[in-house]
Amino acid sequence: MTEILRHPIVLKKLQTEIRGVVGRKEEISEADLEKMHYLKAVTKETLRLHPPIPLLVPREAREDVKIMGYDIAAGTMVIINAWAIGRDPAYWDEPENFKPERFLDSSVDFKGHDFQLIPFGAGRRGCPGIAFAVASNELVLANLVSKFDWQFPGAQGKELDIKECPGVAVRRKIPLLVIPSPLP
């Protein structure tokens, strides 16, 4: 929500898409979510910039390998930095900017096959709850965006502090405070 509210053009595009697909229906279905391509792009971009667990669980190298000129011996503990990978300029144009449009014509996904976007890990050790987590988040976000307009009581858009706190899962350092206005 923070990134969407910081970028009013993204919010407006998202509202237009969701309200266009859903209309005046009371409930958003999974079939509706499948038609929301911009919502999926916003989800991917959010997970790229704000992975839920930025440093993935340590892994042990199974064999001797050479990566980017570094020799890594079998048995070495390796920690994957998903946060840094999501901001790597070798993979991303303007990596610090929130641009969901980058995913509209892209096949890159977060399911563990595209290693430039791994908020849930990759391979055999990827998170088994990816589908549930993403569907839940998309459904909640679609409902929040389609049924409400949002106003700030204090800081506006780009002024919002987006610092994060580490922990088992990442969270905002300062809670997001906004006022929802139900649609008539």
Side-chain angles (χ1 to χ4, degrees), residues 16 19 77 101 110 116 131 138 181:
T16 301
R19 291 172 182 172
M77 291 302 279
E101 292 76 12
F110 47 73
Q116 65 266 42
E138 286 178 349
S181 301

Side-chain angles (χ1 to χ4, degrees), residues 102-159:
R102 76 176 81 235
F103 288 104
L104 289 177
D105 294 321
S106 171
S107 63
V108 173
D109 210 344
F110 47 73
K111 295 179 180 160
H113 302 293
D114 299 302
F115 296 117
Q116 65 266 42
L117 183 63
I118 55 168
F120 298 105
R124 298 181 324 177
R125 309 239 186 219
C127 177
I130 293 173
F132 176 73
V134 172
S136 298
N137 282 318
E138 286 178 349
L139 192 57
V140 168
L141 184 58
N143 275 291
L144 289 173
V145 169
S146 71
K147 293 181 171 55
F148 298 97
D149 282 323
W150 299 91
Q151 298 154 0
F152 296 96
Q156 298 271 328
K158 293 277 186 194
E159 300 169 20

Side-chain angles (χ1 to χ4, degrees), residues 45-109:
E45 182 68 349
T46 301
L47 290 169
R48 181 187 72 80
L49 281 175
H50 307 284
I53 302 173
L55 296 175
L56 299 177
V57 179
R59 302 286 183 234
E60 187 175 303
R62 290 183 291 181
E63 57 190 50
D64 293 346
V65 294
K66 188 174 200 119
I67 299 176
M68 298 178 70
Y70 294 94
D71 293 317
I72 300 172
T76 301
M77 291 302 279
V78 179
I79 298 174
I80 309 300
N81 188 339
W83 185 90
I85 291 170
R87 288 173 163 76
D88 188 341
Y91 296 116
W92 307 105
D93 178 44
E94 298 180 55
E96 295 296 326
N97 292 338
F98 184 76
K99 295 178 11 179
E101 292 76 12
R102 76 176 81 235
F103 288 104
L104 289 177
D105 294 321
S106 171
S107 63
V108 173
D109 210 344

